[in-house]
Amino acid sequence: MEKDTLLAVRGLTIQYETDSGVVHAVNGLDMELRHGETLGLVGETGAGKTTAALGIMRLLPEPPAKIQSGEILFKGEDVLKKSDAELRSMRGKKVAMIFQDPMTSLNPVLTVGEQIAEVIQLHERKSAAEAHVKAQEMLRLVGIPPERFSEYPHQFSGGMKQRVVIAIALACDPELLIADEPTTALDMTIQAQVLELMRSLRKELNTSMILITHDLGVVAEMCDRVAIVYAGEIVEQGTAHDVFNDTKHPYTMGLFGALPDLEGSEERLHPIPGLMPDPTHLPEGCRFSPRCPKRTDACVQTLPKNVETVPGHSVRCLLYEHGMQG
Amino acid sequence: MRKGNGEKRKDGLWTDAAKRFRKNKLAMAGLVMLAILILCALFANYIAPFHYDEQNLPAAFESPSLRHLMGTDNLGRDIFSRIIYGTRTSLSIALVAVLVATLAGGLMGAVAAFYGGVLDNVIMRFLDVFLAIPSTLLAIAIAAVLGPGVTNTVLAITIGQLPGLARIVRATVLSIKGEEYIRAARSIGAGNMRIIGLHILPNAMAPIIVQATLYVASAILSISSLSFIGLGIQPPTPEWGSMLSAGRAYIRDYWFIVAFPGLAIMATIFAFNLIGDGLRDALDPRLKN
């Protein structure tokens, strides 16, 4: 493992064991995150992005969820081997998470200030008064007047609540921030503000980030590297520049094709035909083959391996195996 | 705008609820009735003109008058005084029974919901056995086995109400456990005890308080029922149900012997139901704003 690697996920496989069958949510996921870097995890709804993120935090409800195999190395230590107490001291202090919906991720009966102070008191030896002061500082940092410390979540708008959630996540200066679609529940103008806030704070605190989203626009704006997730595995991974300008995987191409283009004269968008495969019955061979416009007979039988086309840009598609590009 | 914000600042969930409760005239009426009942219970020896077992046989079966506001019974005891003292019996037994049932049932329900799995099944199936028997019948059976008396009445009513309260707490905790903010609390490193105490229980209080209030009403009815059939509070301790029972032989000629204890039971239950309904309206988040 390289020296400046903060997080390395190897062959992570997570399943949900339900009465109606085994849901293969994450299938052999590999990814790596360096210090100070932002990785965009992009994919459709149900691709397993959130499951993977919760798996890294060990926040999955087990059972029904089960981490079958793989390792999650955070600063060289396997998260999967940590005890409950070690996990508790990791969560919030070293790895923090921002959830999708700020409307439901704050406790309605505690003031926002108390909720920020809670994480500070959990991880830092501070008195209630000191935590109070630090919480007010955090409020100021995310652009909320500190006087609103003793207000309740229902007195805040959605965008303001997400700022509070960000304040909670960053209060203990974590090394890794996992943001699970942090702006999906917000409207467009607020989205831009919240993203801008996250970007500037991240830079200021030098926090590494995994940004989960299905919005390629957000990725272009925020991320250094991108990983495209399909049916629980990463099909293409590389720098944002490479993935956007030298797109390799047919699925990634399909995602770009489904975006509206301001300059183009196309009258219709080009959605990818079909739906995500049912995670209880994944197709044999390449998971994307049933929907792939470039499918060959081999695709239906062989699960493609990860191929690095240029250093740092890898793709999981038979088209690029054996060095036969294009 | 600024002033509006300043005013809003202090409003917590409970302050908001208290405001809504105060606006509800029926609920406030219930609260006033309850206040009167509690005062009667606390200061019965000052309010009641006679002692509850002070007999005056020549003055038996006297109709309501200024001297005996609600008349006298077959032994010449002042019915008004007995009803005042009866408040003490009914309220204290009902409150203690519901409090114990809420704490014990709540603990069982919360543990079952939070830990789930086998533990949940064991606890809830055990309680289901009790739930299968109508609570009054269960209370009668328990009182019949243990014998009459204050302690046994409390026990009978507690056991009768515990399963229902446990189910309510379990359902509430179960729904709160799935909330995103519980996962968020976990994500900042909070442990189980902290999550139960700081995040789940405060959010579960509202429905539990509403149900407990309504259960007090049914507890009062159960006490009276038990005493009516002679299994609850024993004479001479004044109890509305046993007063009804003792007076029912004379109902044709002396209506007031049964009418006033009956009214007392009705008014008390009515007060608790009004308060319970008012609390539900005040605390229901769907009716907010």
Side-chain angles (χ1 to χ4, degrees):
Chain A
M1 190 164 54
E2 285 173 60
K3 236 189 191 162
D4 59 347
T5 304
L6 179 68
L7 178 80
V9 178
R10 306 262 161 77
L12 182 65
T13 304
I14 303 173
Q15 302 177 341
Y16 292 100
E17 283 163 4
T18 66
D19 293 338
S20 50
V22 177
V23 179
H24 302 270
V26 175
N27 306 298
L29 189 103
D30 294 298
M31 64 181 185
E32 224 164 81
L33 183 72
R34 285 185 272 274
H35 278 288
E37 194 178 54
T38 301
L39 172 71
L41 216 52
V42 185
E44 285 171 84
T45 303
K49 304 173 302 237
T50 302
T51 303
L54 291 174
I56 293 170
M57 295 282 282
R58 290 292 305 279
L59 280 175
L60 287 166
E62 303 173 36
K66 191 164 180 221
I67 299 179
Q68 280 289 351
S69 59
E71 49 181 19
I72 301 167
L73 298 170
F74 178 75
K75 299 176 79 180
E77 290 171 38
D78 195 343
V79 174
L80 299 179
K81 295 198 180 95
K82 284 186 194 255
S83 70
D84 275 359
E86 287 171 327
L87 285 172
R88 276 203 300 280
S89 66
M90 176 192 89
R91 293 182 194 132
K93 173 72 186 149
K94 294 178 185 151
V95 186
M97 188 155 181
I98 296 175
F99 291 92
Q100 180 168 357
D101 188 356
M103 299 300 170
T104 56
S105 54
L106 291 172
N107 185 338
V109 301
L110 295 178
T111 67
V112 297
E114 285 169 341
Q115 299 189 51
I116 303 174
E118 186 186 2
V119 64
I120 297 167
Q121 282 190 284
L122 274 171
H123 295 292
E124 291 174 18
R125 282 163 191 248
K126 284 204 162 120
S127 68
E130 287 169 325
H132 189 116
V133 171
K134 176 96 189 274
Q136 287 190 320
E137 259 171 52
M138 288 310 297
L139 279 176
R140 195 179 303 120
L141 199 62
V142 296
I144 295 174
E147 303 91 78
R148 301 192 70 181
F149 181 92
S150 42
E151 287 186 30
Y152 289 86
H154 73 270
Q155 290 163 278
F156 286 76
S157 67
M160 292 298 245
K161 277 186 205 169
Q162 197 61 302
R163 283 167 192 263
V164 173
V165 173
I166 292 171
I168 294 172
L170 295 178
C172 290
D173 200 1
E175 288 164 77
L176 172 61
L177 178 64
I178 301 175
D180 185 5
E181 308 207 15
T183 56
T184 307
L186 306 174
D187 65 52
M188 274 308 193
T189 47
I190 305 299
Q191 270 189 18
Q193 285 180 12
V194 169
L195 286 174
E196 187 49 47
L197 174 74
M198 284 174 64
R199 184 158 53 179
S200 67
L201 285 179
R202 202 189 66 74
K203 209 172 258 174
E204 203 177 316
L205 303 170
N206 195 28
T207 315
S208 311
M209 178 158 81
I210 295 176
L211 179 66
I212 298 172
T213 179
H214 52 239
D215 187 337
L216 285 163
V218 171
V219 173
E221 229 172 287
M222 303 277 295
C223 299
D224 306 313
R225 289 198 310 124
V226 189
I228 310 284
V229 185
Y230 187 81
E233 52 187 32
I234 290 177
V235 292
E236 183 165 3
Q237 182 164 211
T239 63
H241 182 271
D242 283 351
V243 173
F244 276 66
N245 297 312
D246 185 19
T247 312
K248 294 278 195 252
H249 198 280
Y251 176 63
T252 319
M253 291 178 194
L255 285 181
F256 284 114
L259 286 179
D261 185 352
L262 280 181
E263 283 142 33
S265 53
E266 302 262 9
E267 294 203 350
R268 298 182 67 98
L269 300 175
H270 300 284
I272 307 172
L275 292 170
M276 280 272 280
D278 175 1
T280 51
H281 301 102
L282 287 176
E284 297 267 314
C286 173
R287 318 288 193 206
F288 185 59
S289 60
R291 300 168 73 184
C292 184
K294 298 182 177 173
R295 175 183 55 228
T296 62
D297 291 342
C299 294
V300 189
Q301 286 144 20
T302 334
L303 186 65
K305 287 196 265 305
N306 225 7
V307 183
E308 201 163 33
T309 55
V310 290
H313 187 181
S314 62
V315 60
R316 195 183 272 271
C317 177
L318 285 183
L319 287 175
Y320 303 95
E321 279 188 32
H322 322 298
M324 38 179 282
Q325 291 209 357
Chain B
M1 195 60 204
R2 275 232 60 83
K3 190 171 175 287
N5 271 337
E7 272 174 3
K8 259 179 96 180
R9 191 154 301 156
K10 291 196 184 68
D11 291 3
L13 210 68
W14 297 101
T15 338
D16 274 1
K19 233 180 235 168
R20 277 193 297 272
F21 189 85
R22 272 200 295 277
K23 274 192 208 143
N24 187 339
K25 289 203 180 69
L26 278 175
M28 285 311 282
L31 201 62
V32 170
M33 285 166 74
L34 179 63
I36 294 171
L37 287 167
I38 291 175
L39 285 178
C40 285
L42 288 177
F43 301 109
N45 31 352
Y46 299 107
I47 296 169
F50 299 90
H51 192 257
Y52 63 82
D53 60 357
E54 190 180 322
Q55 298 184 11
N56 184 3
L57 283 173
F61 301 119
E62 256 180 42
S63 293
S65 63
L66 276 180
R67 185 172 156 75
H68 297 290
L69 283 175
M70 296 177 181
T72 57
D73 66 4
N74 53 329
L75 298 173
R77 293 177 296 192
D78 182 46
I79 295 178
F80 179 66
S81 302
R82 285 180 64 75
I83 284 181
I84 298 287
Y85 276 100
T87 317
R88 213 176 244 187
T89 322
S90 290
L91 278 190
S92 55
I93 294 179
L95 290 178
V96 169
V98 171
L99 193 70
V100 175
T102 307
L103 291 180
L107 186 69
M108 287 166 134
V111 166
F114 190 80
Y115 291 99
V118 181
L119 194 61
D120 182 21
N121 257 320
V122 170
I123 294 176
M124 294 321 288
R125 291 304 80 75
F126 174 71
L127 292 177
D128 279 348
V129 174
F130 288 93
L131 216 54
I133 308 162
S135 65
T136 310
L137 194 64
L138 185 64
I140 290 172
I142 294 167
V145 171
L146 298 176
V150 174
T151 323
N152 290 345
T153 309
V154 171
L155 206 62
I157 290 166
T158 304
I159 294 174
Q161 302 209 318
L162 190 144
L165 282 160
R167 285 210 88 85
I168 290 157
V169 173
R170 176 177 175 272
T172 313
V173 170
L174 216 50
S175 78
I176 292 169
K177 194 183 135 195
E179 292 282 346
E180 190 87 327
Y181 57 81
I182 300 301
R183 186 179 268 174
R186 235 176 241 301
S187 86
I188 60 167
N192 280 348
M193 285 304 128
R194 193 182 184 88
I195 286 175
I196 295 176
L198 196 65
H199 296 280
I200 293 182
L201 281 184
N203 279 295
M205 281 324 277
I208 295 172
I209 289 174
V210 171
Q211 287 305 320
T213 312
L214 295 172
Y215 268 66
V216 174
S218 85
I220 285 173
L221 194 61
S222 298
I223 298 166
S224 295
S225 314
L226 283 178
S227 306
F228 185 84
I229 55 174
L231 287 170
I233 311 304
Q234 296 302 299
T237 310
E239 204 290 326
W240 300 333
S242 59
M243 287 168 76
L244 267 179
S245 169
R248 73 186 193 282
Y250 315 104
I251 191 167
R252 268 166 199 269
D253 306 307
Y254 310 104
W255 59 274
F256 45 84
I257 296 185
V258 287
F260 289 111
L263 279 173
I265 296 172
M266 199 195 83
T268 311
I269 292 172
F270 188 54
F272 275 104
N273 280 336
L274 285 181
I275 294 169
D277 285 346
L279 281 175
R280 175 161 48 207
D281 291 346
L283 291 169
D284 193 332
R286 277 166 301 185
L287 298 173
K288 228 173 240 169
N289 298 327

